[in-house]
Amino acid sequence: MASLSLAPVNIFKAGADEERAETARLTSFIGAIAIGDLVKSTLGPKGMDKILLSSGRDASLMVTNDGATILKNIGVDNPAAKVLVDMSRVQDDEVGDGTTSVTVLAAELLRTIIAGWREATKAAREALLSSAVDHGSDEVKFRQDLMNIAGTTLSSKLLTHHKDHFTKLAVEAVLRLKGSGNLEAIHIIKKLGGSLADSYLDEGFLLDKKIGVNQPKRIENAKILIANTGMDTDKIKIFGSRVRVDSTAKVAEIEHAEKEKMKEKVERILKHGINCFINRQLIYNYPEQLFGAAGVMAIEHADFAGVERLALVTGGEIASTFDHPELVKLGSCKLIEEVMIGEDKLIHFSGVALGEACTIVLRGATQQILDEAERSLHDALCVLAQTVKDSRTVYGGGCSEMLMAHAVTQLANRTPGKEAVAMESYAKALRMLPTIIADNAGYDSADLVAQLRAAHSEGNTTAGLDMREGTIGDMAILGITESFQVKRQVLLSAAEAAEVILRVDNIIKAAPRKRVPDHHPC
């Protein structure tokens, strides 16, 4: 009878790798916790920035403290770390803010165990829900809530020194949307020069392009045709073929035929009864000359985002064929004119069909400052748009986290068995967020968090961290407010991501693809 070998059998290809049980868990934990440690120093109003420097010929520099931006631009190989990176991206897409908080909370939760976790998450969510305040029916209080939320969001960003100015800009821009939440109607333009305090909100639409030569620079009651079509066939472009002629006169005939073809196309466009033509592609000299002769303003090379947003705010549609003018929906606005911002000329559309459309013009000394200001403002706009849809708010400054931690601790005290240990660890993870905020500000976090915990135990449910004074303060009086949607998404996403990582007991890595040298026939 043949004997059976008990030696392990390798079922993977050569070069493949497998990690099991504790080794797999340890690898997951180390990668995910390292990601949390990377971004936790950016948390809170006193958080630090990171410099991201790319390598290679086109090396670029980025200065930011936005968690999603940092994680998006770093190379990650660890599978658990990739889970947290993807989670922060979802957080950014869903609610626009809380990307650092959700990563740090998930990393802290990984320091505990999974048993009793879901009960703790449920208790935390119910505590958060019961603490939410809704002023949606009171216009004055709701506007103040929006101002407080925008201020809280911007307090941890580059714009914190101009917080009042940008808070007002963001709230006015979002309230113009009249509850639609369509952030595409808010256009952000970055222009070098001046300071951040020179940034302003323009009630209209600005296009960073130039009007064609010998064309009207100002048009009232504009009828606009927005197109994506080639306007460069006045040049001979016959690819993949040769044309032989026996004289220069024949070349002139070909050029004339091309010009006639373009002239016919321009005439078809003019039959739409327009006085402004905006094209995503280039407009060459000859059609530009024809538009000028017809008294039509022609704007070329408006990028794809530009024509899409223009179609939205002017009420038009993007056309590519012009045989049936009756089927084309034209855009409209009361006035188109050239304006100067700094040393640049831009085209200003006022009185557009979409009345809520507006443009925020950002000014700054360097491109890095402008880029970070745009990211910061985008976060504030996203949070405000979510709050307009769901007007519930909660208090910031670590207040909500401590409130949830207190509810989870009470649940743990009533729970028999090992699940109570997991719940205590869950509460400890929630308390780590105000701890990190205090640490980043240089204060004694152990003392502050102990005071904050005692205040909540005594029933002071609006107590939080006052990072200006380094003490415990009343968040309701200080106006430190956050969106309920953001806090809820942070809690649920962090718990789900950490649970996914904790359930891993096996990591299988595919064998690396071998490079095959090129074989030349010579």
Coordinates of all heavy atoms in Angstrom, one line a residue, residues 4 8 18 52 60 64 81 85 88 90 173 180 189 203 227 263 322 359 369 407 412 424 426 475 483 511:
L4 N 1.1 7.9 2.1 CA 0.7 9.2 1.8 C 1.7 10.2 2.4 O 2.0 10.1 3.6 CB -0.7 9.5 2.3 CG -1.8 8.7 1.6 CD1 -3.2 9.0 2.3 CD2 -1.9 9.0 0.1
P8 N 3.5 19.7 2.9 CA 2.5 20.7 2.3 C 2.7 20.7 0.8 O 3.8 20.6 0.2 CB 3.0 22.0 2.9 CG 4.3 21.8 3.4 CD 4.4 20.4 3.8
E18 N 2.0 33.5 -0.2 CA 0.8 33.4 0.6 C 1.1 33.6 2.1 O 2.2 33.2 2.6 CB 0.2 32.0 0.5 CG -1.1 31.8 1.3 CD -1.6 30.4 1.3 OE1 -0.8 29.5 1.0 OE2 -2.8 30.2 1.6
L52 N 3.9 66.9 -0.9 CA 4.0 65.8 -1.8 C 4.8 66.1 -3.0 O 4.4 67.0 -3.8 CB 2.6 65.4 -2.2 CG 1.6 65.1 -1.1 CD1 0.2 64.7 -1.6 CD2 2.1 64.0 -0.1
S60 N 6.4 67.6 -9.7 CA 5.5 68.6 -9.3 C 5.5 68.6 -7.8 O 5.8 67.6 -7.1 CB 4.1 68.4 -9.8 OG 3.6 67.2 -9.4
T64 N -0.5 70.2 1.0 CA -1.9 69.9 1.4 C -2.0 69.3 2.8 O -1.1 68.6 3.2 CB -2.6 69.1 0.3 OG1 -3.9 68.9 0.7 CG2 -1.9 67.7 0.2
A81 N -4.0 48.7 3.6 CA -3.8 50.1 3.4 C -4.6 50.6 2.2 O -5.2 51.7 2.2 CB -2.3 50.5 3.2
V85 N -7.4 53.6 1.8 CA -7.3 54.7 0.7 C -8.6 54.7 -0.1 O -9.1 55.8 -0.3 CB -6.1 54.3 -0.2 CG1 -6.1 55.3 -1.4 CG2 -4.8 54.5 0.5
S88 N -11.3 56.4 2.1 CA -11.2 57.9 2.1 C -11.7 58.5 0.8 O -12.3 59.6 0.8 CB -9.7 58.3 2.4 OG -8.9 58.1 1.3
V90 N -14.1 57.3 -1.1 CA -15.6 57.2 -1.0 C -16.1 58.3 -0.1 O -17.1 59.0 -0.5 CB -16.0 55.8 -0.5 CG1 -17.5 55.8 -0.2 CG2 -15.7 54.8 -1.6
A173 N -22.7 81.0 -2.0 CA -22.7 80.2 -3.3 C -23.6 79.0 -3.2 O -24.4 78.8 -4.1 CB -21.3 79.7 -3.6
S180 N -30.9 72.7 -4.7 CA -30.6 71.7 -5.8 C -29.4 70.8 -5.5 O -29.3 69.7 -5.8 CB -30.5 72.3 -7.1 OG -29.2 73.1 -7.2
I189 N -12.4 79.6 -10.3 CA -11.3 80.0 -11.2 C -10.2 80.4 -10.3 O -10.4 81.2 -9.4 CB -11.8 81.1 -12.2 CG1 -12.6 80.6 -13.3 CG2 -10.6 81.9 -12.7 CD1 -13.0 81.6 -14.3
E203 N -21.6 86.9 -9.4 CA -22.9 86.3 -9.7 C -23.0 86.2 -11.2 O -23.7 87.0 -11.9 CB -24.0 87.2 -9.1 CG -24.0 87.3 -7.6 CD -25.1 88.1 -7.0 OE1 -25.8 88.7 -7.9 OE2 -25.2 88.2 -5.8
A227 N -21.0 74.3 -29.3 CA -20.7 73.2 -30.2 C -19.4 72.5 -29.9 O -18.5 73.0 -29.2 CB -20.6 73.8 -31.7
K263 N -17.0 77.7 -45.6 CA -18.0 78.8 -45.7 C -19.4 78.3 -45.6 O -20.3 78.9 -45.0 CB -17.8 79.5 -47.0 CG -18.6 80.8 -47.2 CD -18.3 81.5 -48.5 CE -19.2 82.8 -48.6 NZ -18.9 83.5 -49.9
F322 N -25.4 70.7 -37.8 CA -26.1 72.0 -37.9 C -27.1 72.0 -39.1 O -27.5 73.0 -39.6 CB -25.1 73.1 -38.1 CG -23.9 73.1 -37.1 CD1 -22.7 72.5 -37.5 CD2 -24.1 73.5 -35.8 CE1 -21.7 72.5 -36.6 CE2 -23.1 73.4 -34.9 CZ -21.8 72.9 -35.3
T359 N -19.6 82.2 -9.9 CA -18.2 81.8 -10.1 C -17.4 82.4 -8.9 O -17.6 83.5 -8.5 CB -17.6 82.5 -11.4 OG1 -18.3 82.0 -12.5 CG2 -16.1 82.1 -11.5
I369 N -0.6 77.5 -3.3 CA -1.6 78.1 -2.5 C -3.0 78.1 -3.1 O -4.0 77.7 -2.5 CB -1.2 79.6 -2.1 CG1 0.0 79.6 -1.2 CG2 -2.4 80.3 -1.5 CD1 0.5 80.9 -0.8
A407 N -21.8 56.7 25.2 CA -23.0 55.7 25.0 C -22.5 54.3 24.8 O -23.1 53.4 25.3 CB -23.7 56.1 23.7
A412 N -21.3 48.9 27.2 CA -20.3 47.9 27.7 C -20.5 47.5 29.1 O -20.4 46.3 29.5 CB -18.9 48.4 27.5
E424 N -15.5 48.5 25.0 CA -14.6 49.4 25.6 C -13.5 49.9 24.7 O -13.2 51.1 24.7 CB -14.0 48.8 26.9 CG -14.9 48.8 28.1 CD -15.1 50.2 28.7 OE1 -14.5 51.1 28.3 OE2 -16.0 50.3 29.6
Y426 N -13.7 50.0 21.5 CA -14.4 50.8 20.5 C -14.5 52.2 21.0 O -14.3 53.2 20.3 CB -15.8 50.2 20.2 CG -16.5 50.7 18.9 CD1 -16.5 50.0 17.8 CD2 -17.1 52.0 18.9 CE1 -17.2 50.4 16.6 CE2 -17.7 52.4 17.8 CZ -17.8 51.7 16.7 OH -18.4 52.1 15.5
M475 N -19.6 73.9 22.8 CA -19.6 74.0 21.4 C -20.8 74.8 20.8 O -20.7 75.4 19.8 CB -19.6 72.6 20.8 CG -18.4 71.7 21.1 SD -16.8 72.4 20.5 CE -16.2 73.2 22.0
S483 N -21.7 68.8 10.0 CA -22.8 68.1 9.4 C -23.0 66.8 10.0 O -22.1 66.0 10.1 CB -22.5 68.0 7.9 OG -23.5 67.2 7.2
A511 N 2.1 35.8 -8.6 CA 3.5 35.8 -9.1 C 3.8 37.1 -9.9 O 2.9 37.4 -10.8 CB 3.9 34.6 -9.8

